[in-house]
Amino acid sequence: MQDNATEVTAAGIARLAGVGRAAVSNWRRRHTDFPRPVGGTETSPAFALAEVEGWLRRHSKLAEVPLKERVWQRLAGHPAGPVTALTHAGCVLLLIHDRSPVWLEVSSGTDERLAALLPEALEQVLTTRLGGGPDGSHANPPGSVNTGPVNTGPVNTPTAHQLLPSAPLFRAVAELAAELGARHTFEFLLGRHLDANPRQYTATPADLAGLMAALAGTARTVLDPACGTGALLRSAGGGNAGGSGGPSGNGSGGATGRRLYAQDSSPELAALTALRLALHTRAPVHAAAGDALRADAHPELRADAVLCRPPFNERDWGHDELAYDPRWEYGFPARTESELAWVQHALARLREGGTAVLLMPPAAASRRSGRRIRADLLRRGALRAVVALPVGAAPPYNIPLHLWVLRRPQRACAQPEVLLTDAGRFAGEGRGGPDWQGVRETVLNAWHAFDRTGRLDERPGLARSVPVIELLDDDVDLAPARHLPPPAAADGAGRLTDVRERLAETLRLTAGLTPPVDPARPAAGRRPLTTVGELARAGALVMRTGGNGGRTRLPVLTDHDVLAGTAPSGTLPESDEEAVLTEAGDVVVPVLGGGAVARVIDDATAGAALGRNLVLLRPDPELLDAWFLAGFLRGTANNRQASSYASTATRLDVRRLQLPRLLPAEQRRYGARFRALDEFERTLRQAGRLGEQLLRGMYDGLTDGTVAPD
């Protein structure tokens, strides 16, 4: 009966059966033996997962759903909640990863036997990996959270009573770990949980985490005092990522002797981070729950590196009770300067010469309330670099965030300089994200050159080292853009003339491509229609969904690229599940936003990975013309009848999109006309982009003096 407590929604049933939600509603109305709701609400009922799976099997409606999806459904519908289920699953995965023979022994009998034997086995592995050395003889540093008789950090050892309802989940997780490996299984489940709850968690993109770790350099001890889901420490952790088996973990840290320290105010995040890091590296992991400013879990630590994404714009950070805290070496932060409190906390946890890299809001570089602390950080040589990131680098995506690189001073510098870098030019279009390769090369090249000599020659528009004395004015404004020389003007007037000529030619081409409108003719009789779903079942096309990055870095076609008609511009995290690669002749359809858009992939776009919220249709060219298919999918009425609506979003069910049943020759006639319309649309977009470029160049040229007013 325990398994019946795992619930699944109508959307989950639809994913299990490989159908739309409307089909599930029809089943409930037409089949009297369909399982009754066991929870949820009248408008969003929940059903017992075991009963649903049984019904789908009896009616031959259970699709060949990947094991990953079935495991996720069990975790998402767990009666104790997905976070508790994910934490317990992570403990089991750590046991499988470190001591697979023990797991095989405890899981060999009934669910009751598994639940009875598992706590002792989990406590041993948690103590070894999260509570101390191989024998659990030493505890975490002073201040770490003790949640049981043996210190295992923020991860409680669950009891047999708590574990019994999760036994089916654990067996499914173990099956998935045998296929993917324990680490990748946990990464998949954690990623799905974060994607399902975007407002609860602030994720640090992998590219940004990698850049911050690279700026900090090689370090034996690394601390993140506001670790979140552990992305920064995961980038810095290195070590043996391991597979699904292997010998018992010994917490030795390998030859590097690396140690990772984490803390977060959320006990749930601290526990998930501890498990994530333990699965990612053999290094000892010292994790704790608690507010690092008010209740520092590692007060005696002097780390080689601190990586941190502090909470932004917090007023209640402990200003009143921490007025005399010894960490404020550079000045007591104002109530509105919580980020400068985190900066000084990071410096206080560094050894001399250690490096801290913090992600900061741009306002922290210029607010008047923080100018005295900024001035002292500069005078004493603690602040070494400020890097302006491009818009879209990390949430909040509409703000160009900064990186501060700090170093605990070993000795005073007679004429200190600070590096200012602006990577804003590498912003990507729309939601595609920045050009991370350009950002990384520019920032690291400038930092390494500056770090070697203490200064950097001007790189117009990108970087320069500024003498500290130049910044110590009334504002102590550290925003890089205000101190960098503008990019070298390369014949501004000539460049604008070239843009103007290209725009004129494009407009002439647009006029020639304007489609003729045929005189009205009597409406044809009602044509027989089919749907994309029917064509897929008949083998006339193949449907694929995107969202997996695979193991190879590839350009990613995003929904914004499809909507804007631009080149692939996105990125996806690496995964063991292979990416869906586009081929010439594929038709790609966005499923969010309510727009009537379909794009035929050409040779230039072929080979890109399919991004999230996209469906790829690969027609059989003997049966379906790609342009005919794409054209009819763009019909406004067609999209309206195939869309479902939530309170804040519109989602397209591609299977319900309709098109007429026509012979191939007639399809090609329509396809040729649709292709001409596509060329006209692309030319219009090009004209718009050139017009915007000309306008921007004229405004800039008139204001900076490179273009005369007459």
Side-chain angles (χ1 to χ4, degrees), residues 176-244:
L176 185 58
E179 180 181 312
L180 300 180
R183 176 170 67 93
H184 291 298
T185 298
F186 187 76
E187 288 293 323
F188 162 70
L189 294 173
L190 177 62
R192 284 291 294 267
H193 177 65
L194 298 180
D195 288 343
N197 301 275
R199 296 184 180 181
Q200 295 182 26
Y201 306 100
T202 302
T204 302
D207 290 300
L208 176 57
L211 174 61
M212 294 174 67
L215 285 168
T218 304
R220 291 168 61 89
T221 55
V222 186
L223 166 69
D224 185 347
C227 64
T229 57
L232 296 177
L233 288 175
R234 183 174 181 269
S235 291
N240 176 20
S244 60

